[in-house]
Amino acid sequence: MKIIQSPNVIIFFVFLFLHATMGCSGLPNRSYKLYGKKNVDVYEENITPDENNLRMIASLKLTDQGKQLLAEGRYEDAISIFERSININSENGKNYYFLAEAWLKKGNAALAEEFNRLAALYVKHGSELSKQVNNQKYEIKKNKTEQE
Amino acid sequence: MKFSILKRMGKLFLKLLLFSAICLFVLFSVYTVYLSLKIENRFSGRRWNIPSKVYSDKMLIFPGQKMNRDYFKKKLIRLGYKELDTKNIEKGEFFFGETTIDVFLKDIILSDFVRSAFPVQIEFYENIITDVKNQFQQKALPFLEIEPEELMLFFGPERERRNVVSIRNIPESLIHAVLSAEDRRFYSHWGVDPAGLIRAFYKNLKHKTIKQGGSTLTQQLSKNYFLTPERTITRKLKELLISLIIEGLFDKDEILEIYLNEIYLGQNGSVAINGFGEAALFYFGKEISDLSLHECAVLAGLIKAPNSYSPYVNIDRCKKRRDAILNLMYQNGYISEAVLITSAELPIETAGFRTYGRKAPYFMDYLSRQLRALYPSSVLNNEGLTIYTTLDMDVQIAAEKALENGLERLENAIPSLKRETPVKKLQGAVIVVQPRTGNILAMVGGRNYGVSQFNRITDAIRQPGSAFKPFILLSALDIFNVTTEFNNTSLSYKVDGSKWTPKNFSKEYPHKVSMREALSKSYNIAIVDLAMKTGIEKIVQDLSKFEFSTPFYEYPSLALGAYEVKPIDLARAYCVFPSDGVLSSPLSIKRVFDENGETIERRHMDISTITTPEKSFLINSMLQSVVSDGTAKYLKTLGFHFPIAGKTGTTNNSKDAWFVGYTPDILALVWVGFDNGNTIHSTGSSAALPIWADLIKDIPAFVSGKPFKIPAGIVKKKICLKSRQLFNKSACEDFIEEVFLVENVPSQKCRKHVQQGTFDKLIDRIKKIVR
């Protein structure tokens, strides 16, 4: 009985209860960090599951469309689609990679280099795509020196 | 003898007469031809050219995106969709349910966008889209494109200021009304109406003045040819000649079309309302084809004296005039008596003086400037260009609304800011851009386009004040890091022989502050110290990469934003930070098609890396501090709980208030000030920030809520809360996490706490208690 009367125990159970209910709500909390100061609110926001994932999916679908156009040689159309896809998700590395491809094909090595640089920032290290990005980098360099 | 001389003289006289008659005739013919050419030139341009069209960008909808349902409904209505209150929708209709929206999308055939009709259902959880389904195929869609909105129709580069109408779009009732009001026998006379003339002559005789015109539409047009009115006989004769020429050059329908687009119909501040297309918008907020019969009568009645009969001036006089026109229409057999009676009973419902306006007019001006730079006027004057732009009408409307409300709020809070004359009123400007691509989503160049067409975003040059500080810091990051401390006590500098002492805005401030704190609290003194230690020359050199179109000079006041910039340049420069150090060109035109559907212009992202992703991140991080606990922390109280970076700016004597705020997906710049440089008695946070907040709140679709990505070359370190040096676990009490460039990580462990012996710690504790 003494244990139950102890306020700490009550607090502990309340704490547990709150955690349990939060877990049951089904909505993951997302928090992000701010640097440089103590006691700044670290914001938490309830978002639907996979919100970012859905954005990525939409973006990737557009990327696929662009890829198809690229294969058909419709460079201008492909570029427009990749640019649209960037607006949905700017962290989709594929867009930058394919944009670099398109501009390379169109003979603009300088712009290709810019997009390749961005692609390198957003592809997963060690992935197949990152290898392609690396190869692309050398191709662009080669192209540039040839142009000069 | 005398007789023969007389005869010879007579013959000579006749010859002379003949000769002078021929000369006169030739001269007259030459003059007529000359006039004809000028008239044709003057009026031809606006004849039934196929108009050029300007479209907004397509809208993208996808699951996971937040949506402002109210705005979406208004968009659908603008696109011509009809709202139903049941789910049984047909093509071109929509239904708004509790958690779903059903739209039966129309068939669209545009040069840039082709889609066959299908019904789609959008499902929501609160205001987040969870599903987008093609109801025909019962398939979930990863995204959905909504067709672009038609923003403007125009005939050539100068014409875009008017909503020009083709005779094919003009309702018959308007033509009947105008003919009844002004020129009943227009279609039958030859430029001059003898019956009308005689009546007018008689009336003039009676009143002994040249009062009544008796003018036909043609004559009115010819009067329009001259810039200044005159009532002399020579002028009258000239006008007569011109009328005849007009009738000779053009057929009746052509003359009517020209007339309906030329005629002066009132005043909107400093802008004249010419043509019925403009008038329909100005008085009734409608397209000309949507005018009702009695509204046509109102407009036709204006011709005689627009500023007298205007419904905005005197509604009773307007109604009387309208009824008189309706009566004439009945007398001429255009309408029945029944229609006359019912029409005369209708109240005149105007659009309201303020709501008049073209869609995104400042953006249109900017657009046409670009087009004129791209194409010769022969191409633009010709027909059928289709121009697809980057503009998003939802963002544009949100921006215009936020600006208008914000300025009014400010005037109400500070009555000394109110001005009587519209041209002198408090002004503002907003631009919204997608930082990565450079797409301009919205542009508001001023408070009221009708009052002032001056585009403050593209053409104003104003001091940015503290809104310029991030660029100073970017330069400094090559040498210092975010924890480096700078002097914040009164320092004087020698500038060109005289003493210059920068001052902080607040009365109390710490004597030493870190770079981060200097920016978040906008301490002037510390920033100048930072700038001098970095080297002003270096800063100016680094600034050149941002491609500002205005010059900077190597003076310490550069650090405080003393050198004027164009808001569009400032917005473009800020876009570098959320874009991993990449500068993009501002884009407004996406694609231009000619009348045959051939692409004649296509614009794409044009980028160049000007700084590193790491340094950009540090700026983003510091600008987030501005929002979390600095001069923009007011945003938190407004309910903004996602990562925002931003900077307020207030210039000397509060002549300018700025707020530039951005997320990884969107950037918006707001400026408030008087054109003549009067003080606005407010700061960036009190004047510009609330406008930014209102705008962003209305466009949740553009905010993903994601954080600024931390690039690879950033190192996180624990920093002693007191000394701002590396945290020593065994000695320091508390820490904060800070971010550094990998090449610039501080190595110095906290000296303050390590060196403290027990005695010093005791003194410290006592100090704490005393404080």
Side-chain angles (χ1 to χ4, degrees), chain B residues 467-478:
Chain B
F468 200 67
K469 286 173 184 164
F471 303 102
I472 312 296
L473 261 64
L474 184 69
S475 236
L477 284 171
D478 286 331

Side-chain angles (χ1 to χ4, degrees), chain B residues 489-643:
Chain B
T489 46
S490 214
L491 282 169
S492 292
Y493 298 90
K494 216 169 188 175
V495 181
D496 278 349
S498 41
K499 201 163 77 158
W500 180 66
T501 315
K503 292 205 168 57
N504 283 340
F505 189 78
S506 43
K507 297 249 158 74
E508 287 188 16
Y509 41 83
H511 295 308
K512 266 193 187 299
V513 288
S514 65
M515 184 195 285
R516 182 185 283 278
E517 222 185 324
L519 187 65
S520 84
K521 300 274 165 65
S522 209
Y523 290 130
N524 291 338
I525 302 173
I527 295 282
V528 175
D529 186 35
L530 176 153
M532 297 307 281
K533 289 186 174 140
T534 305
I536 295 284
E537 305 78 23
K538 176 185 183 317
I539 294 172
V540 173
Q541 209 175 26
D542 290 340
L543 278 170
S544 63
K545 293 187 231 152
F546 285 92
E547 297 183 18
F548 279 93
S549 52
T550 45
F552 298 114
Y553 300 102
E554 292 170 8
Y555 285 95
S557 53
L558 172 70
L560 300 182
Y563 295 108
E564 294 156 332
V565 294
K566 288 188 182 169
I568 192 172
D569 290 342
L570 190 64
R572 181 189 182 203
Y574 263 91
C575 282
V576 170
F577 304 129
S579 308
D580 292 313
V582 171
L583 181 74
S584 59
S585 295
L587 278 176
S588 53
I589 299 170
K590 276 207 152 151
R591 202 167 176 182
V592 182
F593 291 88
D594 67 13
E595 49 174 341
N596 300 317
E598 296 295 317
T599 305
I600 56 176
E601 180 80 18
R602 204 157 183 176
R603 292 283 184 82
H604 291 296
M605 254 171 92
D606 187 17
I607 56 173
S608 61
T609 305
I610 62 168
T611 187
T612 65
E614 286 77 16
K615 278 185 255 176
S616 305
F617 172 77
L618 290 181
I619 298 288
N620 292 339
S621 175
M622 286 192 280
L623 288 180
Q624 281 187 267
S625 296
V626 172
V627 174
S628 63
D629 56 66
T631 54
K633 64 177 179 226
Y634 178 58
L635 278 180
K636 278 194 298 186
T637 60
L638 292 173
F640 285 81
H641 295 302
F642 51 86

Side-chain angles (χ1 to χ4, degrees), chain A residues 30 32-33 35-36 38 41 43 51 54 58 61-62 76-77 79-80 83-84 87-88 114 117 122, chain B residues 57-58 60 63-64 142 434 436 516 580 602 604-605 608-609 636 642-643 704-705 709 735 737-738:
Chain A
R30 187 179 59 181
Y32 68 91
K33 239 179 175 153
Y35 296 101
K38 198 85 181 172
D41 308 311
Y43 297 129
E51 184 198 294
L54 292 167
K61 266 286 171 165
L62 274 173
E76 292 276 348
D77 291 337
I79 291 170
S80 293
E83 290 174 350
R84 270 199 175 293
N87 280 331
I88 300 181
E114 291 288 349
R117 196 178 296 141
Y122 289 104
Chain B
D57 201 359
K58 295 172 257 188
L60 223 62
Q434 265 161 336
R436 292 259 177 204
R516 182 185 283 278
D580 292 313
R602 204 157 183 176
H604 291 296
M605 254 171 92
S608 61
T609 305
K636 278 194 298 186
F642 51 86
S704 68
K709 185 170 184 287
F735 69 89
E737 255 201 307
E738 260 298 5

